[in-house]
Amino acid sequence: MFKSIVVGTDGSPTADRAVEAAANLARDFAAQLHVVTAYREASGIGAASGAALAESGVGRALQHDVARLTAEKAVATWAEGLDASVYATSESAPNAILDTARSVGADLIVVGSKGMQGAQRILGSVPNTVAHGADCAVLIVKTDA
């Protein structure tokens, strides 16, 4: 039923639940798994102190490497033996997930339910934004207590 599954992670315990669910589905359907981690490039006051580092590209490369390692750790933990790819991008989390899903032709996106309650639900959350913007099926895994 599913051939290509995309899941996002930030390395948190709640994201781990979504990655685990996505990996289990990938196993069940012999699907390819795409694990995405988004990061925001440093900006503002904190970035000003490291402006030379950022301008040299070293800071951006470091952020990218940390994000990629986060995705690789998720694959090593939950998706051992699967056909899995990792992605790190400097987009917002919802855009990173949606853009990756479109680029790989995903037929399922798996996201955790974090942010689906309270004010964040009204103001916008990753699962809400992904569910409304996806071109494929979306599974929202209950990841909170």
Side-chain angles (χ1 to χ4, degrees):
M1 180 172 185
F2 300 115
K3 295 180 181 185
S4 180
I5 300 171
V6 170
V7 62
T9 185
D10 60 4
S12 68
T14 55
D16 282 348
R17 291 184 190 121
V19 174
E20 180 182 19
N24 287 338
L25 287 167
R27 266 189 207 86
D28 292 346
F29 291 103
Q32 185 173 24
L33 183 64
H34 304 273
V35 181
V36 182
T37 300
Y39 62 94
R40 294 201 184 247
E41 292 185 6
S43 62
I45 295 170
S49 63
L53 183 65
E55 282 185 26
S56 72
V58 174
R60 191 175 318 115
L62 181 59
Q63 288 178 298
H64 183 272
D65 289 348
V66 169
R68 186 168 183 84
L69 286 171
T70 299
E72 288 174 353
K73 181 181 176 191
V75 168
T77 303
W78 302 108
E80 187 176 336
L82 291 176
D83 181 6
S85 301
V86 297
Y87 306 83
T89 180
S90 63
E91 298 178 86
S92 68
N95 286 345
I97 293 166
L98 291 168
D99 289 348
T100 301
R102 287 183 189 107
S103 73
V104 301
D107 43 23
L108 178 65
I109 298 172
V110 177
V111 292
S113 63
K114 184 175 179 181
M116 292 294 289
Q117 298 177 3
Q120 197 172 13
R121 179 180 59 93
I122 296 165
L123 298 173
S125 64
V126 172
N128 188 44
T129 303
V130 168
H132 285 92
D135 296 329
C136 62
V138 176
L139 172 63
I140 301 174
V141 177
K142 184 157 178 61
T143 57
D144 51 359

